[in-house]
Amino acid sequence: MTVSNAQFERLLPVLDSVFRAKQAQLAKATQKVSDLKNQLTLLDRPSVQNIDAPSVRAGADVLWDRWVKDKRKLITQELALASRDREEARAEVAAAFAKLEVVRNLNKSLHDEQKKVKERRASW
């Protein structure tokens, strides 16, 4: 089976759009990781506590600390999943890029080969 130049020309835009879609997925996954890291930093607060503060005496500070600990645990779990998704997206982007480059190179080689054949025939 021989592949014509026209077939490569039709395949290139498809592979390019797949590559761009995978890049968009990677950007979305990277943004999610960034947002979750941001949420973790927002949970941090100064550890300097005023012992005489009414909230500390009422026990609200202990409740707050427990809530922060639970929330941090959930965000960390989400961050782990998001990081996994980001790494999978990176692998998919690399695979899509490799396919695109292979077809581009094959298309160029086929085009160069056809050009050489035309030049040889023109010299007869």
Side-chain angles (χ1 to χ4, degrees):
M1 179 180 145
T2 60
V3 180
S4 70
N5 204 7
Q7 289 173 320
F8 279 129
E9 293 295 329
R10 287 193 311 260
L11 186 59
L12 277 170
V14 173
L15 289 175
D16 188 51
S17 63
V18 168
F19 174 62
R20 292 183 190 282
K22 297 295 181 185
Q23 280 183 318
Q25 289 174 351
L26 176 59
K28 185 178 177 182
T30 301
Q31 183 62 42
K32 184 172 183 178
V33 168
S34 177
D35 291 345
L36 289 169
K37 286 181 179 179
N38 227 5
Q39 287 180 16
L40 279 176
T41 58
L42 290 176
L43 284 179
D44 294 335
R45 62 182 178 93
S47 60
V48 177
Q49 299 175 1
N50 186 359
I51 302 286
D52 295 332
S55 64
V56 173
R57 282 191 263 151
D61 202 39
V62 174
L63 293 174
W64 171 257
D65 288 340
R66 186 180 313 145
W67 180 85
V68 167
K69 182 179 176 185
D70 291 343
K71 188 69 172 173
R72 183 174 282 120
K73 183 178 177 182
L74 289 174
I75 292 173
T76 303
Q77 289 171 347
E78 285 183 48
L79 182 60
L81 294 174
S83 295
R84 180 204 59 197
D85 293 343
R86 181 183 63 190
E87 293 307 314
E88 288 175 357
R90 279 186 183 162
E92 290 174 2
V93 165
F97 181 70
K99 289 176 186 177
L100 179 62
E101 284 300 303
V102 164
V103 172
R104 280 182 184 161
N105 290 336
L106 286 173
N107 188 32
K108 184 179 180 318
S109 297
L110 184 60
H111 181 69
D112 291 345
E113 183 180 323
Q114 289 173 350
K115 186 177 177 182
K116 288 179 184 178
V117 168
K118 285 181 184 178
E119 288 173 358
R120 279 191 306 238
R121 288 185 182 165
S123 69
W124 290 351

